[in-house]
C-alpha cells in the first residue's frame, strides 16, 4: 500500500472528539504507571486523555503545584493564561482557571475569548514585567505545539517569559505527582461558573499588544512599500486571527490562506508517518501550501508563503523558487541578514544556536565577525541572552527562533513563528531576493552542507548510558576519513550537559541523543562533502555509539 504522506486526511485518520473529551473528564490516571504521571519535557507536560496521560486530574494537580511554586518564588503579579486550538486545550484551560481562581491568583484570560500563540503569551509577560510594576507576572499556555489532534499540552513560563528551566519543572512535576498519588487531596478548586466571575479573574488583549508592537521588531514599512505578496497559513492554529489583524493594521498585501479552525484538522495533509501533525517544517504536512506556490507556467500567487504550527512558535517558509526551506537554511539566512541590518543591536551580541543545528551557521557567524554560542537542545538556553541583548538571536534546527527588537531590547523569550515568518518578507523586500535565493549565495561562499536525522534502536539502559557519556568514553580518532577535532558531551557555549554525544571533524559532525519517548536514539549528522559522505558519517556514528553504549 502506498504511503499517504502529503495527502489529505481521511475520515478514519480523525480523532473522535467526543471520546477525547469524555476521557479527559472520566479517566483517572494511575500514578504508579510512569506513562500516566506528570512529566515535563522541554515544552511542558504533554499527553493524551485517551492514553491516561493528559486528564483533568493531571491539570488540576499541575496547576496547584504552579500556585505553590510561584508563591515560593515570591511571584505575586498576574498569571497570563492562554490556549491553542487543540481539542483538549479549552477544557484544560478551564480546569486550570478553576484552581487558580480558588487559590486567589490574579488570572488574565484572552479578552477576545480566542486562541493565543505562545509568543504572544511570552510578549505579554515581558511587557508587564518591563513596565515598572512592583510585582512580577508569569504565565501558562495550554498547547502541545505541533503534536497530533489527540494530544494536549500544558506549559509554564516564569517571569522571564521563556520556557521554565528544569529546576522549576522538576519541582512542579514532583509536587503534582504527590497530588495525584493522594487523590488530589489539598487541591483547591471552585466551579467554572464561579471562577469565571471571580474578582481575581480578568482579561488581557493579547492580540493588540502583540500586533501593535510589531513595528518595533520588524521593518513593516519596507514590506508594505515593496508590495511583497504574503500568503500566511495558520494551519488551523492559534495564529488564525493574528494574521488577518496584521494585514489590516499594518496595511500589508497579506492573504490568510486557510482560516479554518477544526480540532480534528480534517483539512491537513498527513505527515511523513501518515499522522496528522501540524509541523510547518515538514514537506508532507505543508504539502498543500507548497503545491499552491508551485510555478507551473504561471506566476506564483505569493512572493512569500508561510506556515505556523498550532501555537505559532514554529515557522515554515515557502518560496516559488525554492519550495519549503529547510529550517537550518533559513536560520543561516536570517542570521546573516539580521546581523547586517540591525544597527541598534549590541555590536558585540553573539549568535545563538543549538548544537544539532547546521554548521553553516558557524561559518556565517565567523563571516560576520560574531561569536557563536552553541547550547544544548531547548529554547530555554537562549533566554538570558535575549533578555540582556548579549544574544540578540537564538535559533534551533526544529524551526524555532526569536530575535530582539530593532533597538536591541527583548521581544520574546520563547520561539516566535509569526516573527520569523514575517522576517522572510522583510528580507525579500530589503534585499530584492527570496531567502532561498540568498541561501544559495551563502553556499557559494561557505559550502553546501547535507543534513539529516535518523533513529537507531536502543533500550532504556542503553539510552541512559548515552545520556551520561563523558568525552573520555570515546576513543575513536577518525570519522568518515577525517580526523576528529572535538568530542563533546557538554555544550561549548555554556558548559551545560547535552545529554548525549557530539563528534566533530573539519567538514562533518554527528550528534547522538536518546529519545525521551521511544526505544531509539537520534543521530543528527551533517557533511559539507556531499550525500555519500553523509551516509558514511551516519553509518560510522551508529557503530561508534553502539560500541560505547553496548
Amino acid at each position: 500500500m502506498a504511503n499517504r504522506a502529503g495527502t489529505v486526511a481521511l475520515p478514519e485518520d480523525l480523532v473522535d472528539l467526543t471520546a477525547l473529551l469524555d476521557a479527559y473528564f472520566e479517566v483517572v490516571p494511575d500514578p504508579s504507571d510512569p506513562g500516566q504521571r506528570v512529566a515535563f519535557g522541554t515544552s511542558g507536560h504533554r499527553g493524551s486523555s485517551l492514553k491516561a496521560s493528559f486528564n483533568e486530574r493531571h491539570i488540576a494537580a499541575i496547576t496547584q503545584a504552579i500556585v505553590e511554586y510561584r508563591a515560593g518564588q515570591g511571584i505575586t503579579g498576574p498569571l497570563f493564561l492562554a490556549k491553542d486550538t487543540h481539542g483538549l486545550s479549552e477544557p484544560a484551560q478551564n480546569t486550570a482557571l478553576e484552581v487558580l481562581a480558588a487559590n486567589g491568583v490574579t488570572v488574565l484570560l484572552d479578552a477576545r475569548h480566542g486562541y493565543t500563540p505562545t509568543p504572544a503569551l511570552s510578549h505579554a509577560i515581558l511587557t508587564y514585567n518591563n513596565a515598572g510594576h512592583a510585582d512580577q507576572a508569569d504565565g501558562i499556555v495550554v498547547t502541545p505545539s505541533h503534536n497530533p489532534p489527540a494530544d494536549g499540552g500544558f506549559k509554564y513560563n516564569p517571569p522571564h517569559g521563556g520556557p521554565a528551566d528544569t529546576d522549576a519543572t522538576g519541582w512542579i512535576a514532583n509536587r503534582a505527582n504527590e497530588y495525584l498519588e493522594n487523590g488530589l487531596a489539598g487541591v483547591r478548586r471552585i466551579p467554572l461558573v464561579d471562577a469565571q466571575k471571580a474578582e481575581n479573574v480578568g482579561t488581557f488583549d493579547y492580540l493588540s499588544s502583540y500586533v501593535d508592537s510589531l513595528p518595533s521588531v520588524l521593518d513593516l514599512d519596507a514590506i508594505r512599500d515593496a508590495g511583497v505578496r504574503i500568503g500566511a497559513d495558520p494551519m488551523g492554529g492559534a495564529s488564525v486571527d493574528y494574521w488577518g489583524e496584521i494585514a489590516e493594521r499594518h496595511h500589508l498585501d497579506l492573504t490568510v490562506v486557510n482560516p479554518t479552525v477544526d480540532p480534528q484538522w480534517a483539512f491537513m495533509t498527513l505527515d511523513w508517518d501518515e499522522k496528522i501533525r501540524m509541523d510547518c517544517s515538514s514537506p508532507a504536512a505543508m504539502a498543500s501550501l507548497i503545491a499552491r506556490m508551485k510555478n507551473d507556467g504561471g506566476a506564483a500567487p505569493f512572493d512569500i508563503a508561510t506556515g505556523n504550527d498550532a501555537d505559532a512558535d514554529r515557522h515554515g517558509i515557502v518560496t516559488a523558487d525554492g519550495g519549503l526551506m529547510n529550517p537550518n537554511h533559513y536560520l543561516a539566512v536570517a542570521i546573516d541578514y539580521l546581523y547586517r541590518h540591525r544597527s541598534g543591536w549590541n555590536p558585540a551580541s553573539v549568535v545563538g544556536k543549538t548544537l544539532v543545528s547546521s554548521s553553516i551557521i558557524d561559518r556565517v557567524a565567523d563571516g560576520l565577525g560574531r561569536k557563536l554560542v552553541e547550547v544544548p537542545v531547548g529554547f530555554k538556553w537562549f533566554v538570558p541572552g535575549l533578555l540582556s541583548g548579549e544574544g540578540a538571536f537564538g535559533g534551533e534546527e526544529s524551526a524555532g527562533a526569536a530575535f530582539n527588537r530593532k533597538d536591541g531590547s527583548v521581544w520574546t523569550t520563547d520561539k516566535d513563528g509569526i516573527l520569523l515568518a514575517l522576517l522572510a518578507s522583510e528580507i525579500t523586500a530589503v534585499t530584492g531576493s527570496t531567502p532561498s535565493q540568498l541561501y544559495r549565495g551563502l553556499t557559494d561562499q561557505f559550502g553546501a552542507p547535507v543534513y539529516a536525522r535518523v533513529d537507531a534502536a536502543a533500550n532504556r539502559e542503553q539510552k541512559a548510558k548515552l545520556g551520561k557519556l563523558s568525552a573520555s568514553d570515546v576513543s575513536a580518532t577518525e570519522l568518515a576519513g577525517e580526523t576528529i577535532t572535538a568530542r563533546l558531551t557538554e555544550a561549548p557555549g555554556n558548559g551545560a550537559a547535552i545529554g548525549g554525544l557530539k563528534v566533530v571533524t573539519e567538514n562533518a559532525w554527528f550528534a547522538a541523543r536518546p529519545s525521551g519517548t521511544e526505544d531509539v536514539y537520534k543521530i543528527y549528522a551533517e557533511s559539507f562533502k556531499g550525500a555519500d559522505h553523509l551516509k558514511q558519517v551516519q553509518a560510522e556514528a551508529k557503530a561508534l555509539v553502539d560500541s560505547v553504549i553496548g
Side-chain angles (χ1 to χ4, degrees), residues 18-162:
T18 299
L20 186 74
L21 296 176
D22 285 349
Y24 175 78
F25 293 105
E26 295 172 2
V27 171
V28 177
D30 177 3
S32 67
D33 181 345
Q36 298 183 33
R37 291 172 66 82
V38 173
F40 276 75
T42 55
S43 294
H45 173 75
R46 294 184 184 180
S48 176
S49 62
L50 299 173
K51 297 179 179 178
S53 53
F54 192 94
N55 304 87
E56 185 178 32
R57 289 193 172 214
H58 291 108
I59 304 309
I62 296 170
T63 306
Q64 184 66 45
I66 289 173
V67 169
E68 295 170 15
Y69 174 81
R70 70 195 306 270
Q73 297 293 312
I75 303 168
T76 58
L79 183 144
F80 291 90
L81 180 60
K83 68 178 188 295
D84 79 353
T85 55
H86 276 78
L88 289 172
S89 293
E90 183 167 353
Q93 179 180 263
N94 289 342
T95 300
L97 180 63
E98 293 169 356
V99 174
L100 293 167
N103 281 276
V105 175
T106 299
V107 183
L108 295 178
L109 298 165
D110 179 47
R112 299 163 187 264
H113 307 289
Y115 310 106
T116 304
T118 289
L121 178 98
S122 176
H123 181 273
I125 294 169
L126 292 169
T127 298
Y128 182 91
N129 291 339
N130 292 337
H133 295 284
D135 52 13
Q136 291 281 285
D138 54 1
I140 294 171
V141 59
V142 188
T143 174
S145 190
H146 61 290
N147 277 28
D151 285 5
F154 203 76
K155 178 181 171 184
Y156 175 62
N157 286 37
H160 61 53

Side-chain angles (χ1 to χ4, degrees), residues 1-333:
M1 183 171 147
N3 188 296
R4 295 187 295 126
T7 65
V8 176
L10 299 175
E12 56 264 33
D13 299 312
L14 307 182
V15 66
D16 183 335
L17 290 177
T18 299
L20 186 74
L21 296 176
D22 285 349
Y24 175 78
F25 293 105
E26 295 172 2
V27 171
V28 177
D30 177 3
S32 67
D33 181 345
Q36 298 183 33
R37 291 172 66 82
V38 173
F40 276 75
T42 55
S43 294
H45 173 75
R46 294 184 184 180
S48 176
S49 62
L50 299 173
K51 297 179 179 178
S53 53
F54 192 94
N55 304 87
E56 185 178 32
R57 289 193 172 214
H58 291 108
I59 304 309
I62 296 170
T63 306
Q64 184 66 45
I66 289 173
V67 169
E68 295 170 15
Y69 174 81
R70 70 195 306 270
Q73 297 293 312
I75 303 168
T76 58
L79 183 144
F80 291 90
L81 180 60
K83 68 178 188 295
D84 79 353
T85 55
H86 276 78
L88 289 172
S89 293
E90 183 167 353
Q93 179 180 263
N94 289 342
T95 300
L97 180 63
E98 293 169 356
V99 174
L100 293 167
N103 281 276
V105 175
T106 299
V107 183
L108 295 178
L109 298 165
D110 179 47
R112 299 163 187 264
H113 307 289
Y115 310 106
T116 304
T118 289
L121 178 98
S122 176
H123 181 273
I125 294 169
L126 292 169
T127 298
Y128 182 91
N129 291 339
N130 292 337
H133 295 284
D135 52 13
Q136 291 281 285
D138 54 1
I140 294 171
V141 59
V142 188
T143 174
S145 190
H146 61 290
N147 277 28
D151 285 5
F154 203 76
K155 178 181 171 184
Y156 175 62
N157 286 37
H160 61 53
D165 62 26
T166 51
D167 288 343
T169 57
W171 191 95
I172 292 167
N174 289 337
R175 186 67 174 132
N177 284 318
E178 290 176 6
Y179 279 120
L180 286 182
E181 292 162 358
N182 294 320
L184 298 188
V187 173
R188 301 182 64 186
R189 190 171 175 185
I190 60 176
L192 180 62
V193 64
D194 295 329
Q196 291 170 330
K197 295 184 295 184
E199 290 185 0
N200 54 311
V201 174
T203 61
F204 178 78
D205 191 347
Y206 291 100
L207 186 150
S208 290
S209 175
Y210 180 92
V211 172
D212 290 345
S213 300
L214 282 171
S216 72
V217 68
L218 291 160
D219 190 349
L220 298 182
D221 291 340
I223 299 173
R224 182 173 53 253
D225 294 345
V228 177
R229 299 168 302 146
I230 305 168
D233 188 350
M235 296 176 71
S239 65
V240 60
D241 291 336
Y242 282 62
W243 282 112
E245 288 291 330
I246 289 168
E248 182 175 339
R249 298 189 188 201
H250 298 297
H251 310 290
L252 303 180
D253 185 354
L254 189 158
T255 301
V256 181
V257 172
N258 177 16
T260 303
V261 173
D262 170 16
Q264 289 183 303
W265 273 274
F267 58 83
M268 276 293 295
T269 53
L270 300 177
D271 204 359
W272 62 273
D273 56 357
E274 300 187 3
K275 292 183 180 180
I276 297 175
R277 186 181 291 110
M278 290 61 71
D279 182 356
C280 47
S281 68
S282 165
M286 289 278 279
S288 59
L289 190 60
I290 295 169
R292 188 162 181 163
M293 281 289 281
K294 282 184 178 175
N295 187 349
D296 296 325
F302 309 112
D303 299 306
I304 294 290
T306 64
N308 294 120
D309 62 342
D311 70 326
D313 70 344
R314 299 188 185 203
H315 58 273
I317 309 299
V318 183
T319 66
D321 62 278
L324 176 65
M325 289 192 72
N326 179 293
N328 277 303
H329 300 177
Y330 182 57
L331 286 182
V333 171

